[in-house]
């Protein structure tokens, strides 16, 4: 991979059975403050269902919400999404859905759902008298509890939910104990039961169980004393006598009734032996099945179809080659074999076999009939008659039929029994849409293992001690194997056969992408061969798309990429990409922010695609890659144009974009910033791949086009990486214009991070190169930023001179957005000179220019209106300032511009301070501080805390004032802004001497 950050997509574990938390493996994901936890908890209580914003507000503020409650909820949601992304999960988990939000679990786990599934499995096992299995399921369910549910999250709704969950736990404990007592486990349950009764003395069922266990353990006197203690508690607390169950138990103990003794296993019915003709054909299970708890729970749905009479229960396991479909099917089949006393049939239909042709249903029917004791001479010759006889024989039987490695529905259709006592489990790589799973949840789409499960599988093959000695290397090895059981078993077998190899040694061998498939394709099990079997079954055009997708280094993509690679229409691209999904060559990762489905490779399948692309000529490969890169450039440039209302604040390279039809462009870019956000990681990867390939003009042009996203959403790392990659490519090509443009972009980044000296040096060099290249527009863009630094340094004459020169160029070339921006900067220079009237004129002119741009000028309009508000503040026109700032906040919130929102809220708080509305100002500034936490700007953070300190002082809260002044000083010192450092120190010094302590003074 070339410059793509990140690793395999992480699986999140959501936990509510204790203090709410989210984990990735052994690490806890930071969730923020109490509001964030309350909102996340409420979404997790009803996963997959929309929770209205009003309900979230009620839960957070308990009927006393502030006026900004909706905004604060959206900020909390944004922070949670960011936390999940930082944890390595790029898919959208919290989805905006009118009138609120819903949490989409997908492949992630939730302990309350796991608990419910395990309890349901246990209850089913009890009904079917499989008590050991029920006991294991109950124990696994109760191990999920880490303490009081929802601990640390307050509110009436949360307290009710916590009580409900706790009641479920207590019921499950009592049900589990009942099973253990039936199994004769009375001595081992005593400690837990005694503790339960101490904590819940009024629960008569638990006390009944404790008395029973004590009696069976030879503690007859203790059992009677436990009864008396319970009677006293009930009389004292409720004024009632024990119920009949407890009283009858006491009487039975006094009489030593035989019914109280431990059940005798000899009294249990003896299972009848399998008569001749009952087939037992299941092959041996895999030596060690790692994970798959959720999938096994789904397959267990096959055992309880609710009395339906529509035919046999039918399950389907689909997934990519090597994901462990057969192993899971056989493991589950062995675990439930006792429930099918009339036998188990198994057939490998060789749907994907390099040596054998797929087995026909007719061949399997002949063998199954012989297994069912039909003499060879009595097996009908006609396929229809064979199928009829097969179904007749199974009509009144309970038989489990496992059909493995199926390629088509035609292979399995005649093999489906008609009686509802049978169960069929099918595995295959294809989706088999004609096969209807019943119950529907029994369609298991098998994905890779979790990192923990993959390492556990390696340990089972190589040895726990060997893996534990190199935990980091073992985790990396699992990722290099794509967490696929087949690849993991091959890797594990290689290590097991090479005891002198370290895990790290094999990791180094697999880290070379050119050799990875070779390393994992040795011996009888071969990853490459398993992929090749599916690949050879693809249609020509589908195979061509698969190969060409391997050319791209992007982490994920949408269907328009398929159309661009093949130079075809979107409909054909979508159809072919879905064929690859059906063949398990691509994964669907959900819908992006712009509403389009996104797809991705597993790494081994990407490597296999890159091998196969050699089937095409170098010219074909180059043309496909060039076309898709130029389509990325077209869409990014159009997104920039729509964001600015025109081709403003940008210059372009010489690469001609590859356009798309207008109607498709409108669909993709209905919300330009959302499209850029959805494609962000892919756009970064294209910049890197183009730069490394010497496509310098495309790389720097694309970087400029996506800069609007980096600026708006504060993606500073992406900003730097793309600019530095493109700068290196431009320098290598001797491209002065491209070098100047990227120096300007890097200078703008340094300016944003308050390193003005470095920024000014980069701008100076960029200006020189633009002048040498004759690039007047690019030079003016540089001058505008140099003027901004000069203004902040107090060099106002130079700043005005540079701004005036840049303004002339912007007007000459028709760059209205940059014209409005420089007018805005000139207004600030006038404010610095105390020329308030000229500042008002320039800021009003900036607003007029921005408004004339239209809808795309919203960002420029927000900047101009913010400056106009600052002018009103200087003129002490606080109502006008507030009116302007409310317009600014409305604009930036709609664009999810958190930095702009923080600035707007700060200024609004200052306007309310100026008007003497101190408490209202404090509330606004606190909201600004919450927003600033999302953008990591020390200057903004410090300015808000400085204002908050002043507001707190005016409200008499000197403790908060001091705390915020100190926080402001720390932020300013971190970035070395002397003017603001002096302001913070002055504010601290002006606090009354007796009020500088840590306590809040009295009034």
């Amino acid at each position: 991979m070339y410059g793509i950050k990140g690793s395999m997509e992480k699986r999140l574990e959501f936990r509510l059975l204790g203090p709410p938390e989210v984990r990735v493996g052994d690490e806890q994901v930071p969730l923020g403050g109490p509001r964030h936890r309350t909102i996340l908890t409420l979404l997790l209580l009803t996963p997959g269902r929309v929770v209205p914003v009003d309900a979230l507000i009620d839960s957070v503020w308990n009927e006393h919400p502030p006026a900004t409650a909706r905004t604060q909820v959206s900020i909390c949601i944004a922070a949670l999404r960011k936390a999940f992304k930082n944890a390595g999960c790029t898919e959208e988990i919290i989805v905006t859905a009118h009138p609120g939000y819903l949490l989409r679990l997908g492949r992630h786990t939730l302990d309350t759902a796991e608990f419910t599934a395990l309890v349901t499995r246990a209850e089913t096992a009890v009904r079917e008298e499989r008590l050991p299995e029920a006991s294991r399921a109950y124990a696994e369910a109760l191990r999920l509890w880490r303490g009081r549910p929802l601990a640390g999250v307050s509110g009436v709704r949360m307290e009710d939910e916590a009580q409900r969950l706790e009641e479920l736990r207590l019921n499950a404990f009592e049900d589990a104990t009942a099973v253990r007592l039936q199994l004769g486990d009375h001595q081992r349950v005593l400690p837990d039961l005694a503790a339960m009764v101490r904590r819940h003395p009024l629960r008569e069922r638990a006390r009944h169980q404790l008395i029973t266990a004590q009696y069976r353990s030879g503690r007859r006197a203790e059992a009677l004393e436990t009864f008396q203690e319970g009677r006293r508690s009930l009389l004292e607390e409720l004024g009632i006598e024990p119920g009949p169950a407890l009283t009858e138990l006491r009487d039975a103990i006094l009489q030593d009734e035989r019914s109280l003794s431990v059940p005798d296993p000899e009294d249990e019915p003896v299972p009848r032996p399998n008569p001749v003709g009952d087939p037992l054909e299941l092959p041996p299970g895999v030596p060690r099945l790692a994970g798959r708890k959720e999938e096994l729970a789904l397959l267990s749905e096959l055992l309880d179809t609710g009395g339906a009479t529509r035919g046999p229960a039918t399950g389907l396991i689909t997934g990519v080659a090597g994901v462990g479909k057969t192993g899971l099917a056989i493991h589950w089949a062995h675990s439930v074999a006792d429930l099918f006393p009339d036998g188990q049939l198994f057939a490998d239909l060789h749907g994907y076999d390099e040596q054998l042709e797929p087995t026909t249903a007719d061949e399997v029917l002949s063998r199954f009939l012989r297994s069912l004791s039909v003499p060879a001479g009595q097996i009908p010759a006609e396929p229809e008659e064979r199928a009829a006889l097969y179904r007749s024989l199974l009509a009144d039987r309970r038989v489990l039929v496992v059909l493995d490695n199926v390629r088509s529905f035609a292979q399995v259709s005649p093999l489906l029994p008609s009686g509802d006592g049978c169960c069929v489990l099918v595995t295959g790589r294809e989706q088999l849409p004609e096969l209807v799973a019943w119950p529907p949840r029994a369609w298991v789409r098998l994905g890779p293992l979790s990192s923990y499960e993959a390492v556990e599988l390696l340990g089972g093959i190589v040895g726990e001690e060997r893996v534990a000695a190199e935990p980091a290397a073992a985790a990396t090895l699992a990722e290099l194997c794509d967490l696929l059981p087949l690849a993991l078993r091959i890797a594990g077998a290689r290590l097991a056969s090479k005891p002198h190899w370290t895990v790290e040694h094999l990791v180094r061998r697999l880290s070379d992408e050119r050799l990875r498939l070779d390393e994992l394709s040795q011996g009888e099990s071969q990853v490459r061969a398993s992929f090749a079997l599916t690949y050879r079954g693809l249609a020509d055009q589908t195979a061509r798309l698969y190969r060409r997708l391997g050319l791209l280094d992007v982490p994920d993509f949408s269907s328009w990429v398929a159309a661009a690679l093949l130079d075809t229409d979107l409909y054909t691209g979508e159809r072919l990409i879905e064929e690859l999904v059906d063949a398990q060559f691509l994964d669907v990762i959900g819908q992006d922010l712009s509403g389009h489905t996104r797809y991705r490779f597993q790494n081994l399948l990407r490597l296999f695609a890159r091998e196969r692309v050699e089937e095409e000529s170098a010219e074909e490969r180059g043309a496909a890659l060039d076309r898709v890169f130029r389509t990325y450039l077209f869409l990014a440039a159009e997104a920039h144009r729509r964001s600015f209302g025109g081709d403003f604040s940008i210059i372009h390279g010489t690469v001609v974009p590859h356009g798309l039809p207008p109607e498709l462009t409108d669909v993709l870019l209905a919300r330009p910033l959302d499209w850029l956000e959805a494609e962000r990681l892919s756009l970064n990867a294209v910049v890197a791949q183009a730069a490394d390939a010497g496509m310098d003009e495309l790389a720097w042009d694309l970087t400029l086009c996506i800069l609007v996203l980096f600026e708006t959403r504060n993606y500073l790392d992406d900003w730097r990486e793309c600019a530095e990659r493109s700068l290196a490519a431009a320098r290598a090509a001797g491209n002065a214009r491209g070098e100047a443009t990227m120096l300007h972009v890097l200078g703008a980044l340094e300016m944003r991070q308050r390193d003005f000296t470095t920024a000014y040096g980069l701008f100076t060099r960029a200006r020189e190169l633009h002048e040498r290249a004759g690039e007047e527009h690019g030079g003016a863009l540089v001058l505008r930023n140099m003027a901004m630094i000069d203004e902040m340094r107090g060099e106002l004459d130079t700043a005005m001179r540079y701004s005036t020169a840049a303004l002339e160029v912007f007007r000459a070339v028709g760059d209205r957005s940059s014209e409005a921006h420089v007018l805005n900067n000139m207004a600030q220079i006038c404010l610095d000179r105390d020329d308030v009237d000229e500042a008002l004129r320039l800021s009003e002119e900036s607003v007029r220019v921005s408004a004339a741009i239209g809808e795309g000028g919203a960002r420029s309009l927000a900047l101009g209106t913010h400056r106009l508000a600052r002018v009103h503040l200087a003129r002490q026109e606080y109502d006008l300032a507030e009116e302007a700032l409310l317009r600014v906040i409305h604009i930036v919130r709609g664009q999810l511009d958190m930095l702009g929102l923080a600035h707007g809220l700060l200024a609004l708080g200052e306007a309310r301070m100026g008007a003497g509305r101190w408490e209202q100002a404090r509330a606004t500034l606190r909201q600004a501080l919450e927003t600033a936490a999302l953008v990591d700007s020390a200057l903004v953070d410090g300015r808000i805390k400085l204002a908050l300190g002043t507001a707190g002082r005016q409200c008499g809260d000197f403790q908060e004032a001091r705390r915020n002044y100190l926080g402001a000083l720390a932020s300013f010192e971190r970035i070395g802004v002397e003017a603001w450092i002096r302001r913070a120190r002055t504010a601290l010094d002006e606090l009354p001497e007796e009020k500088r302590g840590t306590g809040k003074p009295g009034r």
Side-chain angles (χ1 to χ4, degrees), residues 305 335 390 443 565 587 775 865 884 890:
T305 56
S335 72
Y390 167 73
W443 183 351
L565 281 170
D587 292 336
E775 176 50 64
T865 307
H890 176 73

Side-chain angles (χ1 to χ4, degrees), residues 8 482 545-552 554-557 580 584-589 599-610:
M8 176 67 65
D482 270 359
L545 172 60
Y546 170 66
R547 295 192 298 266
R548 291 184 178 180
L549 284 168
L551 291 167
L552 297 174
V554 297
D556 51 60
F557 42 85
L580 290 174
Q584 307 289 343
F585 269 5
L586 292 177
D587 292 336
V588 176
I589 59 174
Y599 308 87
R600 71 173 170 203
F601 275 119
Q602 292 178 23
N603 284 330
L604 293 177
L605 283 164
R606 184 196 302 275
L607 296 179
F608 184 69
R610 288 177 178 171

Side-chain angles (χ1 to χ4, degrees), residues 504-534:
E504 180 61 37
H505 178 73
L506 183 56
V507 166
R508 286 195 297 270
R509 294 174 70 96
L510 292 180
S511 294
D512 188 338
E513 291 187 344
R514 297 167 300 175
L515 303 177
R516 192 177 305 163
L517 285 176
D518 292 332
E519 293 288 333
L520 296 175
S521 297
Q522 301 186 18
E524 292 185 5
S525 297
Q526 298 200 2
V527 171
R528 180 185 283 113
S530 66
F531 292 163
L533 287 169
T534 306

Side-chain angles (χ1 to χ4, degrees), residues 200-213:
H200 303 279
L202 302 182
R203 291 188 74 91
E204 293 192 44
R205 187 184 182 203
R207 188 172 295 274
H208 188 289
Q209 292 171 336
L210 176 58
I211 294 170
T212 302

Side-chain angles (χ1 to χ4, degrees), residues 12 14 20-22 24 29-44 56 60 71-95 101-103 898 930 933-934:
L12 301 180
F14 295 99
E21 65 178 26
V22 183
V24 175
V29 178
L31 296 178
R35 293 176 188 169
H36 302 76
R37 292 177 180 275
T38 299
I39 288 171
L40 178 60
T41 299
L42 196 58
L43 293 172
L44 286 170
L56 295 173
V60 172
T71 300
Q72 293 191 47
V73 167
S74 66
I75 290 171
C76 289
I77 293 290
L80 289 170
R81 288 169 171 165
K82 183 177 181 181
F84 298 155
K85 287 186 178 180
N86 290 342
C89 175
T90 58
E91 65 194 87
E92 189 176 16
I93 295 177
I94 300 178
V95 180
Y101 303 92
L102 66 82
L103 188 140
M898 293 296 107
E930 288 184 6
L934 303 176

Side-chain angles (χ1 to χ4, degrees), residues 182-193:
Q182 282 185 269
L183 291 169
D185 204 14
H186 44 272
Q187 291 187 328
R188 281 196 289 266
V189 302
L190 273 172
D192 290 341
L193 260 178

